[in-house]
Amino acid sequence: QKEVEQDPGPLSVPEGAIVSLNCTYSNSAFQYFMWYRQYSRKGPELLMYTYSSGNKEDGRFTAQVDKSSKYISLFIRDSQPSDSATYLCAMSGTGGFKTIFGAGTRLFVKA
Amino acid sequence: GAGVSQSPSNKVTEKGKDVELRCDPISGHTALYWYRQSLGQGLEFLIYFQGNSAPDKSGLPSDRFSAERTGGSVSTLTIQRTQQEDSAVYLCASSEPKRNEQFFGPGTRLTVL
């Protein structure tokens, strides 16, 4: 079993839809949770960064962490075609550097 | 300011040749990471440098892979006697001291024929 599981998709939604992207993990030591967005032939860019459980909102993006269920989510409201990309979840523990990435979910937002 | 830069952006080589990939991290970032991303796969950790500490090489897949970081800045990833399975995008990232957020370069797309 991988430390971080993420459905690779693809996920296709119409413009304006609410998108839900999720990851599950097995290591209870993870404390830092991140979402990266990766456009085709580009490096990943940091989208959201949260510590421990709870919600964090930034514009159209909301990140949720449920440590009791070892489950994290990224919600995108009013999705746009420019949101079409691969979204990778990532997590790491305290006192350590190693960040474990999910395989990424490929999202297509249709105009 | 300038982000992480990598060169070359694309590299095509023949099986058995050696290749060198370069990474210039963001100025002031003491941590530097190398990852490998194969088609449809997540990021595979290769090696981590932090300041003057000994690098963590636990992710290097074989002794054909090595990396160095000179002067705490530029890093070079070397793959000797390349194999077709080495074909992938090699990504470099850097981060500030004691921070988990990593900033990635655009990657080097390596194709081994």
PDB file of all heavy atoms in Angstrom, chain A residues 51-73:
ATOM      1  N   TYR A  51      -1.452  23.242   7.896  1.00  0.00           N
ATOM      2  CA  TYR A  51      -0.811  22.517   8.987  1.00  0.00           C
ATOM      3  C   TYR A  51      -1.883  21.876   9.847  1.00  0.00           C
ATOM      4  O   TYR A  51      -2.843  22.541  10.240  1.00  0.00           O
ATOM      5  CB  TYR A  51       0.051  23.455   9.826  1.00  0.00           C
ATOM      6  CG  TYR A  51       0.581  22.819  11.084  1.00  0.00           C
ATOM      7  CD1 TYR A  51       1.562  21.840  11.022  1.00  0.00           C
ATOM      8  CD2 TYR A  51       0.075  23.175  12.332  1.00  0.00           C
ATOM      9  CE1 TYR A  51       2.043  21.237  12.164  1.00  0.00           C
ATOM     10  CE2 TYR A  51       0.551  22.581  13.480  1.00  0.00           C
ATOM     11  CZ  TYR A  51       1.545  21.609  13.394  1.00  0.00           C
ATOM     12  OH  TYR A  51       2.005  21.021  14.533  1.00  0.00           O
ATOM     13  N   SER A  52      -1.749  20.607  10.093  1.00  0.00           N
ATOM     14  CA  SER A  52      -2.654  19.836  10.935  1.00  0.00           C
ATOM     15  C   SER A  52      -4.073  19.864  10.370  1.00  0.00           C
ATOM     16  O   SER A  52      -4.272  20.073   9.183  1.00  0.00           O
ATOM     17  CB  SER A  52      -2.601  20.367  12.366  1.00  0.00           C
ATOM     18  OG  SER A  52      -3.162  19.420  13.249  1.00  0.00           O
ATOM     19  N   SER A  53      -5.061  19.636  11.198  1.00  0.00           N
ATOM     20  CA  SER A  53      -6.433  19.520  10.716  1.00  0.00           C
ATOM     21  C   SER A  53      -7.078  20.885  10.528  1.00  0.00           C
ATOM     22  O   SER A  53      -6.616  21.887  11.055  1.00  0.00           O
ATOM     23  CB  SER A  53      -7.266  18.714  11.714  1.00  0.00           C
ATOM     24  OG  SER A  53      -6.983  17.349  11.622  1.00  0.00           O
ATOM     25  N   GLY A  54      -8.154  20.900   9.749  1.00  0.00           N
ATOM     26  CA  GLY A  54      -8.913  22.123   9.577  1.00  0.00           C
ATOM     27  C   GLY A  54      -9.064  22.505   8.130  1.00  0.00           C
ATOM     28  O   GLY A  54      -8.723  21.746   7.226  1.00  0.00           O
ATOM     29  N   ASN A  55      -9.617  23.696   7.941  1.00  0.00           N
ATOM     30  CA  ASN A  55      -9.861  24.220   6.599  1.00  0.00           C
ATOM     31  C   ASN A  55      -9.015  25.449   6.350  1.00  0.00           C
ATOM     32  O   ASN A  55      -8.663  26.185   7.278  1.00  0.00           O
ATOM     33  CB  ASN A  55     -11.345  24.628   6.451  1.00  0.00           C
ATOM     34  CG  ASN A  55     -12.269  23.445   6.524  1.00  0.00           C
ATOM     35  OD1 ASN A  55     -11.847  22.313   6.680  1.00  0.00           O
ATOM     36  ND2 ASN A  55     -13.560  23.721   6.438  1.00  0.00           N
ATOM     37  N   LYS A  56      -8.719  25.654   5.076  1.00  0.00           N
ATOM     38  CA  LYS A  56      -8.048  26.884   4.666  1.00  0.00           C
ATOM     39  C   LYS A  56      -8.625  27.312   3.332  1.00  0.00           C
ATOM     40  O   LYS A  56      -8.751  26.480   2.432  1.00  0.00           O
ATOM     41  CB  LYS A  56      -6.539  26.672   4.547  1.00  0.00           C
ATOM     42  CG  LYS A  56      -5.768  27.942   4.209  1.00  0.00           C
ATOM     43  CD  LYS A  56      -4.284  27.684   4.238  1.00  0.00           C
ATOM     44  CE  LYS A  56      -3.489  28.937   3.966  1.00  0.00           C
ATOM     45  NZ  LYS A  56      -2.023  28.684   4.037  1.00  0.00           N
ATOM     46  N   GLU A  57      -8.969  28.588   3.234  1.00  0.00           N
ATOM     47  CA  GLU A  57      -9.594  29.084   2.016  1.00  0.00           C
ATOM     48  C   GLU A  57      -8.705  30.146   1.384  1.00  0.00           C
ATOM     49  O   GLU A  57      -8.110  30.978   2.074  1.00  0.00           O
ATOM     50  CB  GLU A  57     -10.967  29.675   2.348  1.00  0.00           C
ATOM     51  CG  GLU A  57     -11.781  30.067   1.138  1.00  0.00           C
ATOM     52  CD  GLU A  57     -13.200  30.489   1.528  1.00  0.00           C
ATOM     53  OE1 GLU A  57     -13.772  29.879   2.444  1.00  0.00           O
ATOM     54  OE2 GLU A  57     -13.700  31.453   0.922  1.00  0.00           O
ATOM     55  N   ASP A  58      -8.627  30.100   0.046  1.00  0.00           N
ATOM     56  CA  ASP A  58      -7.864  31.109  -0.692  1.00  0.00           C
ATOM     57  C   ASP A  58      -8.573  31.308  -2.018  1.00  0.00           C
ATOM     58  O   ASP A  58      -8.418  30.508  -2.942  1.00  0.00           O
ATOM     59  CB  ASP A  58      -6.423  30.653  -0.906  1.00  0.00           C
ATOM     60  CG  ASP A  58      -5.571  31.726  -1.579  1.00  0.00           C
ATOM     61  OD1 ASP A  58      -6.084  32.822  -1.897  1.00  0.00           O
ATOM     62  OD2 ASP A  58      -4.367  31.462  -1.797  1.00  0.00           O
ATOM     63  N   GLY A  59      -9.375  32.374  -2.070  1.00  0.00           N
ATOM     64  CA  GLY A  59     -10.114  32.646  -3.298  1.00  0.00           C
ATOM     65  C   GLY A  59     -11.091  31.534  -3.599  1.00  0.00           C
ATOM     66  O   GLY A  59     -11.925  31.173  -2.757  1.00  0.00           O
ATOM     67  N   ARG A  60     -10.987  30.949  -4.772  1.00  0.00           N
ATOM     68  CA  ARG A  60     -11.903  29.874  -5.175  1.00  0.00           C
ATOM     69  C   ARG A  60     -11.483  28.508  -4.628  1.00  0.00           C
ATOM     70  O   ARG A  60     -12.180  27.516  -4.849  1.00  0.00           O
ATOM     71  CB  ARG A  60     -11.965  29.815  -6.709  1.00  0.00           C
ATOM     72  CG  ARG A  60     -12.541  31.069  -7.370  1.00  0.00           C
ATOM     73  CD  ARG A  60     -12.712  30.888  -8.870  1.00  0.00           C
ATOM     74  NE  ARG A  60     -11.433  30.742  -9.569  1.00  0.00           N
ATOM     75  CZ  ARG A  60     -11.014  29.598 -10.136  1.00  0.00           C
ATOM     76  NH1 ARG A  60     -11.765  28.504 -10.104  1.00  0.00           N
ATOM     77  NH2 ARG A  60      -9.847  29.558 -10.760  1.00  0.00           N
ATOM     78  N   PHE A  61     -10.366  28.443  -3.946  1.00  0.00           N
ATOM     79  CA  PHE A  61      -9.810  27.180  -3.474  1.00  0.00           C
ATOM     80  C   PHE A  61      -9.981  27.026  -1.963  1.00  0.00           C
ATOM     81  O   PHE A  61      -9.744  27.969  -1.203  1.00  0.00           O
ATOM     82  CB  PHE A  61      -8.319  27.088  -3.819  1.00  0.00           C
ATOM     83  CG  PHE A  61      -8.041  27.133  -5.294  1.00  0.00           C
ATOM     84  CD1 PHE A  61      -7.828  28.344  -5.940  1.00  0.00           C
ATOM     85  CD2 PHE A  61      -7.995  25.970  -6.047  1.00  0.00           C
ATOM     86  CE1 PHE A  61      -7.583  28.398  -7.302  1.00  0.00           C
ATOM     87  CE2 PHE A  61      -7.752  26.015  -7.411  1.00  0.00           C
ATOM     88  CZ  PHE A  61      -7.543  27.229  -8.034  1.00  0.00           C
ATOM     89  N   THR A  62     -10.400  25.821  -1.552  1.00  0.00           N
ATOM     90  CA  THR A  62     -10.496  25.484  -0.136  1.00  0.00           C
ATOM     91  C   THR A  62      -9.825  24.145   0.084  1.00  0.00           C
ATOM     92  O   THR A  62     -10.130  23.174  -0.610  1.00  0.00           O
ATOM     93  CB  THR A  62     -11.965  25.396   0.324  1.00  0.00           C
ATOM     94  OG1 THR A  62     -12.601  26.660   0.128  1.00  0.00           O
ATOM     95  CG2 THR A  62     -12.032  25.024   1.799  1.00  0.00           C
ATOM     96  N   ALA A  63      -8.917  24.109   1.051  1.00  0.00           N
ATOM     97  CA  ALA A  63      -8.264  22.857   1.418  1.00  0.00           C
ATOM     98  C   ALA A  63      -8.801  22.402   2.760  1.00  0.00           C
ATOM     99  O   ALA A  63      -8.969  23.210   3.676  1.00  0.00           O
ATOM    100  CB  ALA A  63      -6.749  23.052   1.486  1.00  0.00           C
ATOM    101  N   GLN A  64      -9.097  21.109   2.853  1.00  0.00           N
ATOM    102  CA  GLN A  64      -9.578  20.526   4.103  1.00  0.00           C
ATOM    103  C   GLN A  64      -8.685  19.367   4.502  1.00  0.00           C
ATOM    104  O   GLN A  64      -8.266  18.567   3.661  1.00  0.00           O
ATOM    105  CB  GLN A  64     -11.015  20.000   3.933  1.00  0.00           C
ATOM    106  CG  GLN A  64     -12.082  21.047   3.911  1.00  0.00           C
ATOM    107  CD  GLN A  64     -13.478  20.453   3.895  1.00  0.00           C
ATOM    108  OE1 GLN A  64     -13.663  19.242   3.762  1.00  0.00           O
ATOM    109  NE2 GLN A  64     -14.482  21.308   3.998  1.00  0.00           N
ATOM    110  N   VAL A  65      -8.432  19.269   5.796  1.00  0.00           N
ATOM    111  CA  VAL A  65      -7.646  18.163   6.326  1.00  0.00           C
ATOM    112  C   VAL A  65      -8.426  17.517   7.450  1.00  0.00           C
ATOM    113  O   VAL A  65      -8.846  18.190   8.387  1.00  0.00           O
ATOM    114  CB  VAL A  65      -6.272  18.641   6.857  1.00  0.00           C
ATOM    115  CG1 VAL A  65      -5.517  17.479   7.505  1.00  0.00           C
ATOM    116  CG2 VAL A  65      -5.445  19.249   5.736  1.00  0.00           C
ATOM    117  N   ASP A  66      -8.626  16.222   7.368  1.00  0.00           N
ATOM    118  CA  ASP A  66      -9.266  15.449   8.434  1.00  0.00           C
ATOM    119  C   ASP A  66      -8.265  14.386   8.871  1.00  0.00           C
ATOM    120  O   ASP A  66      -8.182  13.316   8.274  1.00  0.00           O
ATOM    121  CB  ASP A  66     -10.562  14.816   7.924  1.00  0.00           C
ATOM    122  CG  ASP A  66     -11.284  14.016   9.001  1.00  0.00           C
ATOM    123  OD1 ASP A  66     -10.691  13.784  10.064  1.00  0.00           O
ATOM    124  OD2 ASP A  66     -12.439  13.619   8.780  1.00  0.00           O
ATOM    125  N   LYS A  67      -7.516  14.701   9.917  1.00  0.00           N
ATOM    126  CA  LYS A  67      -6.469  13.783  10.346  1.00  0.00           C
ATOM    127  C   LYS A  67      -7.043  12.515  10.957  1.00  0.00           C
ATOM    128  O   LYS A  67      -6.420  11.465  10.905  1.00  0.00           O
ATOM    129  CB  LYS A  67      -5.516  14.471  11.315  1.00  0.00           C
ATOM    130  CG  LYS A  67      -4.671  15.552  10.664  1.00  0.00           C
ATOM    131  CD  LYS A  67      -3.623  16.081  11.623  1.00  0.00           C
ATOM    132  CE  LYS A  67      -2.617  15.009  11.950  1.00  0.00           C
ATOM    133  NZ  LYS A  67      -1.597  15.469  12.918  1.00  0.00           N
ATOM    134  N   SER A  68      -8.224  12.611  11.544  1.00  0.00           N
ATOM    135  CA  SER A  68      -8.800  11.416  12.161  1.00  0.00           C
ATOM    136  C   SER A  68      -9.121  10.365  11.105  1.00  0.00           C
ATOM    137  O   SER A  68      -9.026   9.162  11.357  1.00  0.00           O
ATOM    138  CB  SER A  68     -10.047  11.773  12.969  1.00  0.00           C
ATOM    139  OG  SER A  68     -11.050  12.320  12.114  1.00  0.00           O
ATOM    140  N   SER A  69      -9.477  10.820   9.921  1.00  0.00           N
ATOM    141  CA  SER A  69      -9.791   9.905   8.824  1.00  0.00           C
ATOM    142  C   SER A  69      -8.623   9.744   7.861  1.00  0.00           C
ATOM    143  O   SER A  69      -8.723   8.951   6.912  1.00  0.00           O
ATOM    144  CB  SER A  69     -11.009  10.403   8.036  1.00  0.00           C
ATOM    145  OG  SER A  69     -12.122  10.530   8.864  1.00  0.00           O
ATOM    146  N   LYS A  70      -7.550  10.490   8.089  1.00  0.00           N
ATOM    147  CA  LYS A  70      -6.386  10.485   7.185  1.00  0.00           C
ATOM    148  C   LYS A  70      -6.852  10.780   5.761  1.00  0.00           C
ATOM    149  O   LYS A  70      -6.601   9.999   4.828  1.00  0.00           O
ATOM    150  CB  LYS A  70      -5.639   9.155   7.270  1.00  0.00           C
ATOM    151  CG  LYS A  70      -5.027   8.875   8.639  1.00  0.00           C
ATOM    152  CD  LYS A  70      -4.109   7.665   8.590  1.00  0.00           C
ATOM    153  CE  LYS A  70      -3.450   7.392   9.912  1.00  0.00           C
ATOM    154  NZ  LYS A  70      -4.410   6.956  10.935  1.00  0.00           N
ATOM    155  N   TYR A  71      -7.505  11.918   5.629  1.00  0.00           N
ATOM    156  CA  TYR A  71      -8.167  12.261   4.366  1.00  0.00           C
ATOM    157  C   TYR A  71      -8.029  13.755   4.150  1.00  0.00           C
ATOM    158  O   TYR A  71      -8.310  14.540   5.057  1.00  0.00           O
ATOM    159  CB  TYR A  71      -9.643  11.883   4.508  1.00  0.00           C
ATOM    160  CG  TYR A  71     -10.470  11.965   3.252  1.00  0.00           C
ATOM    161  CD1 TYR A  71     -10.551  10.886   2.384  1.00  0.00           C
ATOM    162  CD2 TYR A  71     -11.223  13.108   2.975  1.00  0.00           C
ATOM    163  CE1 TYR A  71     -11.355  10.951   1.256  1.00  0.00           C
ATOM    164  CE2 TYR A  71     -12.019  13.170   1.844  1.00  0.00           C
ATOM    165  CZ  TYR A  71     -12.075  12.090   0.988  1.00  0.00           C
ATOM    166  OH  TYR A  71     -12.867  12.154  -0.133  1.00  0.00           O
ATOM    167  N   ILE A  72      -7.562  14.151   2.961  1.00  0.00           N
ATOM    168  CA  ILE A  72      -7.483  15.572   2.665  1.00  0.00           C
ATOM    169  C   ILE A  72      -8.214  15.850   1.356  1.00  0.00           C
ATOM    170  O   ILE A  72      -8.301  14.976   0.484  1.00  0.00           O
ATOM    171  CB  ILE A  72      -6.031  16.101   2.598  1.00  0.00           C
ATOM    172  CG1 ILE A  72      -5.281  15.550   1.383  1.00  0.00           C
ATOM    173  CG2 ILE A  72      -5.277  15.740   3.884  1.00  0.00           C
ATOM    174  CD1 ILE A  72      -3.929  16.232   1.159  1.00  0.00           C
ATOM    175  N   SER A  73      -8.720  17.070   1.244  1.00  0.00           N
ATOM    176  CA  SER A  73      -9.492  17.447   0.068  1.00  0.00           C
ATOM    177  C   SER A  73      -9.102  18.839  -0.414  1.00  0.00           C
ATOM    178  O   SER A  73      -8.670  19.680   0.379  1.00  0.00           O
ATOM    179  CB  SER A  73     -10.994  17.453   0.388  1.00  0.00           C
ATOM    180  OG  SER A  73     -11.435  16.193   0.830  1.00  0.00           O
TER     181      SER A  73
END
